[in-house]
Amino acid sequence: MSGIVIVSRRDFLKAGIVLGGGLIIGVHLPGGTAAGMEPPRETFAPNAFIRIGTDDSVTVIVNKSEMGQGVYTALPMIVAEELEVDPATIRVEAAPVTPPYNHAEWGIQATGGSTSVRSEWDRLARAGATARMMLVAAAAETWKVKPGQCRAEKGFVLHHASGRRLSYGKLAERAARLKPPAEVQLKSPKDYSVIGRPVKRLDTPAKVDGTALFGLDVAIPGMLTAVVARPPVFGAKAMKIHHDKAEKVPGVKRVIPIDAGVAVIADSFPAAVKGREALEIEWNEGPLAGLDSGLQRDEYAEMAKLPGAVAARRGDPDAALKQAVKRIDAVYDLPYLAHAPLEPLNCVARVEPGHCDIWAGTQMQTGDRNAAAKITGFPPDKITLRTMFLGGGFGRRAVPDSHFVREAVQASKAMGKPVKVVWTRDDDIHGGWYRPTFHNELSAGLDAAGMPVAWKHRIVCQSIAIGTPFEKGMVKNGVDDTSVEGAADSPYAVPNFLCDYHMAPAGVPVLWWRSVGHSATAFVKESFIDELAHLAGKDPYQYRRQLLEKHPRLVGAMDLAAEKAGWGKALPEGRGRGIAVHESFGSIVAQVAEVSVGAKGEIRVHRVVCAVDCGRFVNPGIIEAQMESGIAFGLSAALHGAITFKNGRVEQSNYHDYPIIRMNEMPRVETHIVRNGEKPGGIGEPGVPPVAPAVANALFALTGARLRTLPMTPERVLAATGKA
């Protein structure tokens, strides 16, 4: 396509123009299959995922969104292993939205659930092996020899006997005329030379030199910018819109109602923001006008007095509790949480007669494309969505109703011009789609030996599935699986067990947040088992080992973390040590945290030792980075994170009152990988759940104070330790 402005990020950085946490610069449009076109005739494209050019270039088409988790490196590494090329030479393109790039299990194109590597490993390995075998066959045909006398190596095919060799580029045209093999031979893991090694990230150079293109970087000729005035209370409706003052702001082109609220469209972001500030809207605030976090907690506690829908049951926990030698009851509360990615939501849409172009950093391409098709009335094949780099996702850009994409498409359709919708940081914090707030009530009984004979766990929270396309698969018999995951399937050996669930009233938009339900249930489960260990007078680590005898991988990860952390050895004065272990997304993570407490009640986490068992893995460097990332993300929530309501309004607005962990708060993280041949698990999310309970358990070991409500603020620490 023509008329595209290309401006380097480096030059734009010199101008110092900052917008909502990101930068607006020009962008080139990717060509080839990333734009939905056929590859050039001289290109060898044996399948949807690989292109090899006559210039020896190797391009891997990646059907997952790169949001910092490393898929633009890990997935090409799988191809590189079987294709026999150096992964550093691979080019990466984002996949177009077409069926060949659908998630291997979900049937749509989407990124989430820590499934990228485990869902695509086999498919990409076969894609690479297919290409390799066809290139070898092309070389054998050229030399009039048998394919078995040739081998592929570092982008070349070699003939053993004669020493001849041809590059993949030289073989591309001949290979393109061959039929793919009926059977594909994959390499044995013992012969891997790429997989399992710490290959450098392929996207790092572009992110360092400023050439990486995020959604906020998109700028096309004639583009306008929109910000949206959204309801002050979730579910509120605009009754009257007084737009005269807004339309008099220099640069403002138009004020239009859209599904999300009222869009102010201008020739620049500052003008759009000023126009929104001048806009006057009369709202009918609706049923959530009185929403108050304190009253909501009381409502949840009242619901918890009655039995809920059964998520898991074995034995007779009520009878066992009556016969227990010791009993403990506890209430745990966790707040709503925002995702708060560094790049706020944004989208560029260009609706033209018969066609719609979209540029967005999104985790749910199929849903976004289908939403645009519905708005425009165009068939899906007339919607071209280009996936940009994401400046953080954590689930926030996998919204079932595609709202930030719909906003841009609706605005562009109304204006007849390209429109970029930009959310400010305040828009993001106020905008909903939070991790739900959880209320948990637990009871447990111990026998004379201190071992648990009964465990009851009641959960009250909103469902993230109700009203979405995923409701049918996620909600069964009144139980949202994501609300009870990590609790209903607790691995601890307790003969009498019950986990039940109350679906709290909807209204506040909620969504999957990095590690989803595990982010809450792991804190509750791992804190409560710690309480049982101390009630029994037993070491929390050894107590867990006894109760996990039938789960050797959990024990193995926990043993590794405990060994590397020096469990049982003396700590410096004023420090405590806590442990937690949790399985999620097919992986097991154990963490040991070392903490101290300042004079004002502030928790300082000095060290986190992390052991991860994710089965077969691709890149240990990415695993280490994701464990560090997950720990930072989890600590942000554990120490600071809370979205609260007063008079229906969100009380937080930006990083000053919804803080993420700062560099001076970040502990030293040591990651140790359990190596085995198990099937691959996820890695983007499992590092989050164990860190909050590990810190809370360390705090108890140090002070004797048990915090059952998050976040662990200095005020709560002082109150719990009697120093308030």
Side-chain angles (χ1 to χ4, degrees):
M1 302 180 72
S2 62
I4 303 304
V5 179
I6 305 176
V7 181
S8 75
R9 184 185 292 266
R10 185 180 295 107
D11 290 343
F12 209 79
L13 283 169
K14 292 177 181 177
I17 301 175
V18 180
L19 171 61
L23 301 172
I24 296 182
I25 63 174
V27 55
H28 70 274
L29 299 183
T33 58
M37 298 181 292
E38 291 297 322
R41 293 179 62 183
E42 67 272 14
T43 298
F44 170 45
N47 49 63
F49 295 95
I50 300 171
R51 292 205 312 267
I52 298 173
T54 54
D55 60 354
D56 290 326
S57 62
V58 177
T59 302
V60 174
I61 314 302
V62 175
N63 64 338
K64 304 299 179 185
S65 305
E66 177 57 80
M67 48 191 148
Q69 83 279 36
V71 292
Y72 275 19
T73 302
L75 298 183
M77 284 177 65
I78 297 171
V79 173
E81 183 67 75
E82 294 292 345
L83 185 56
E84 291 287 359
V85 296
D86 182 350
T89 65
I90 288 178
R91 302 174 184 175
V92 178
E93 285 188 8
V97 188
T98 58
Y101 301 106
N102 283 349
H103 191 290
E105 298 170 5
W106 299 345
I108 59 173
Q109 190 172 328
T111 305
S114 295
T115 61
S116 292
V117 168
R118 52 189 175 139
S119 68
E120 297 298 332
W121 189 317
D122 184 67
R123 180 157 59 167
L124 290 178
R126 291 183 178 279
T130 297
R132 182 194 73 230
M133 293 174 67
M134 293 176 72
L135 288 161
V136 168
E141 185 180 274
T142 300
W143 295 324
K144 310 293 189 214
V145 299
K146 294 181 179 180
Q149 297 174 338
C150 307
R151 76 175 190 276
E153 182 179 295
K154 295 182 179 180
F156 290 85
V157 177
L158 288 69
H159 181 234
H160 304 295
S162 67
R164 288 176 290 181
R165 71 175 193 166
L166 287 170
S167 72
Y168 287 177
K170 297 293 186 185
L171 294 166
E173 291 188 70
R174 184 181 289 270
R177 295 193 292 268
L178 301 178
K179 289 185 178 180
E183 295 184 5
V184 177
Q185 182 178 353
L186 300 180
K187 294 172 68 174
S188 169
K190 66 181 177 61
D191 297 324
Y192 285 166
S193 60
V194 175
I195 289 176
R197 300 179 184 274
V199 172
K200 292 181 179 180
R201 291 275 295 259
L202 302 185
D203 54 336
T204 296
K207 289 178 177 177
V208 171
D209 67 22
T211 58
L213 298 169
F214 293 80
L216 275 176
D217 299 331
V218 177
I220 62 178
M223 186 183 77
L224 301 173
T225 300
V227 296
V228 178
R230 297 178 177 83
V233 174
F234 292 119
K237 302 295 183 183
M239 304 302 293
K240 290 185 179 180
I241 303 169
H242 305 282
H243 50 76
D244 293 350
K245 293 180 181 178
E247 290 180 339
K248 290 178 182 177
V249 172
V252 171
K253 301 298 183 184
R254 194 172 168 192
V255 175
I256 60 170
I258 60 174
D259 291 347
V262 182
V264 179
I265 304 171
D267 57 16
S268 70
F269 175 74
V273 170
K274 289 180 180 178
R276 184 171 66 174
E277 291 171 351
L279 190 63
E280 296 177 3
I281 305 174
E282 296 179 32
W283 299 95
N284 178 343
E285 295 189 354
L288 293 185
L291 181 61
D292 178 280
S293 291
L295 296 176
Q296 185 185 53
R297 185 200 176 281
D298 293 342
E299 178 188 5
Y300 282 23
E302 193 66 25
M303 293 177 67
K305 291 179 180 179
L306 298 174
V310 174
R313 185 201 298 272
R314 59 180 177 267
D316 189 342
D318 288 321
L321 277 171
K322 292 178 181 178
Q323 298 174 5
V325 175
K326 293 182 180 180
R327 173 174 175 150
I328 184 172
D329 301 287
V331 175
Y332 283 82
D333 284 298
L334 297 93
Y336 288 108
L337 293 173
H339 304 75
L342 287 176
E343 181 194 19
L345 295 177
N346 61 86
C347 177
V348 173
R350 178 172 58 194
V351 180
E352 298 176 317
H355 193 269
C356 175
D357 291 291
I358 297 169
W359 295 262
T362 176
Q363 294 177 244
M364 194 166 286
Q365 287 84 351
T366 299
D368 294 343
R369 182 204 60 185
N370 292 349
K374 185 175 182 179
I375 292 166
T376 60
F378 303 154
D381 64 357
K382 297 301 181 182
I383 310 293
T384 300
L385 188 151
R386 297 169 176 84
T387 302
M388 314 306 293
F389 280 118
L390 285 63
F394 318 123
R396 183 63 183 89
R397 288 176 157 89
V399 193
D401 81 341
S402 306
H403 58 255
F404 64 105
V405 172
R406 285 196 293 109
E407 291 169 7
V409 174
Q410 287 176 334
S412 178
K413 181 181 178 182
M415 297 300 294
K417 293 183 178 182
V419 174
K420 173 189 280 186
V421 165
V422 178
W423 289 48
T424 66
R425 176 63 53 209
D426 287 18
D427 291 339
D428 178 63
I429 298 298
H430 289 153
W433 304 101
Y434 307 122
R435 196 282 306 271
T437 181
F438 282 73
H439 178 77
N440 305 263
E441 298 198 2
L442 297 99
S443 299
L446 306 184
D447 62 18
M451 304 310 289
V453 294
W455 179 303
K456 294 180 66 177
H457 185 177
R458 181 159 296 157
I459 299 172
V460 183
C461 74
Q462 287 179 243
S463 165
I464 63 174
I466 294 296
T468 75
F470 311 103
E471 179 178 336
K472 185 176 180 180
M474 293 169 59
V475 181
K476 300 169 185 173
N477 301 317
V479 177
D480 180 343
D481 289 342
T482 63
S483 298
V484 300
E485 59 186 3
D489 54 350
S490 170
Y492 292 114
V494 183
N496 302 284
F497 178 89
L498 172 67
C499 177
D500 61 6
Y501 168 70
H502 283 286
M503 189 179 296
V508 176
V510 293
L511 186 65
W512 24 78
W513 183 91
R514 191 175 185 179
S515 75
V516 202
H518 295 283
S519 67
T521 58
F523 173 68
V524 177
K525 170 181 69 73
E526 286 301 296
S527 295
F528 196 56
I529 197 70
D530 220 65
E531 293 200 56
L532 300 192
H534 288 288
L535 181 64
K538 297 179 182 290
D539 177 88
Y541 159 50
Q542 295 297 339
Y543 193 69
R544 285 174 170 82
R545 288 191 95 258
Q546 284 184 268
L547 293 170
L548 293 172
E549 289 180 347
K550 295 183 179 180
H551 299 275
R553 290 182 67 186
L554 281 161
V555 172
M558 190 170 56
D559 285 350
L560 181 58
E563 175 196 348
K564 298 298 184 181
W567 188 271
K569 295 181 181 179
L571 283 168
E573 185 176 354
R575 291 197 186 184
R577 184 188 281 133
I579 194 168
V581 62
H582 192 75
E583 183 173 2
S584 61
F585 306 97
S587 295
I588 297 161
V589 176
Q591 293 172 2
V592 176
E594 291 181 16
V595 310
S596 65
V597 178
K600 297 181 179 180
E602 67 277 14
I603 295 174
R604 175 61 196 258
V605 184
H606 299 272
R607 180 187 182 206
V608 176
V609 178
C610 176
V612 53
D613 179 352
C614 58
R616 290 186 294 127
F617 58 86
V618 176
N619 189 325
I622 290 177
I623 293 174
E624 183 177 358
Q626 284 301 290
M627 289 300 104
E628 293 170 355
S629 168
I631 287 166
F633 197 82
L635 283 177
S636 294
L639 301 179
H640 304 304
I643 292 292
T644 57
F645 290 86
K646 191 74 172 178
N647 297 323
R649 288 156 173 79
V650 177
E651 295 187 284
Q652 293 71 34
S653 62
N654 210 309
Y655 287 138
H656 71 285
D657 54 8
Y658 190 84
I660 57 175
I661 197 168
R662 288 352 190 217
M663 290 180 68
N664 64 336
E665 298 176 279
M666 187 65 190
R668 186 173 88 240
V669 176
E670 303 168 26
T671 299
H672 304 276
I673 303 172
V674 177
R675 295 177 179 267
N676 55 40
E678 300 287 345
K679 65 180 182 180
I683 208 64
E685 297 173 270
V688 175
V691 69
V695 170
N697 294 339
L699 177 68
F700 180 85
L702 176 63
T703 67
R706 177 66 65 182
L707 290 189
R708 296 176 175 140
T709 299
L710 293 181
M712 292 178 269
T713 61
E715 294 78 14
R716 287 186 173 133
V717 172
L718 290 175
T721 55
K723 298 178 181 179

